[in-house]
Amino acid sequence: MPHYENHGRETGVVDYEIGRGSIIVTFGGGDKYLYTNKSAGARNIARMQQLARDGRGLSTFISQHVHDRYARKLTSV
């Protein structure tokens, strides 16, 4: 998983993994969530993927726009 660069302020996002129509986001506490086109909407997923690549604004976008619209919480290995 790419490490989230965080070019902005402090963030809760640690890393991410972009898939086709999805993104997995790992937060600082170790919680990992899968967001998909179906669960959060294709426009939101595209925006989240771009913010992840840019290293700026992903945590804020999630808290303001998709909240708990994840497909599932993943288990840490």
Side-chain angles (χ1 to χ4, degrees):
M1 272 188 163
H3 182 72
Y4 183 66
E5 292 297 322
N6 186 25
H7 295 293
R9 304 178 305 223
E10 288 197 28
T11 182
V13 175
V14 175
D15 55 31
Y16 65 93
E17 183 176 341
I18 293 175
R20 176 179 265 171
S22 68
I23 185 169
I24 297 171
V25 179
T26 305
F27 293 93
D31 292 334
K32 187 182 291 191
Y33 296 90
L34 169 66
Y35 297 89
T36 65
N37 285 346
K38 186 174 180 179
S39 70
R43 292 183 79 181
N44 286 330
I45 295 301
R47 183 70 178 137
M48 291 168 68
Q49 290 173 340
Q50 188 59 55
L51 291 168
R53 286 185 194 102
D54 292 347
R56 169 172 258 143
L58 181 57
S59 183
T60 299
F61 185 85
I62 290 170
S63 67
Q64 291 179 350
H65 299 282
V66 296
H67 315 263
D68 58 355
R69 292 171 52 192
Y70 52 88
R72 68 178 184 260
K73 184 175 180 180
L74 304 174
T75 311
S76 298
V77 177

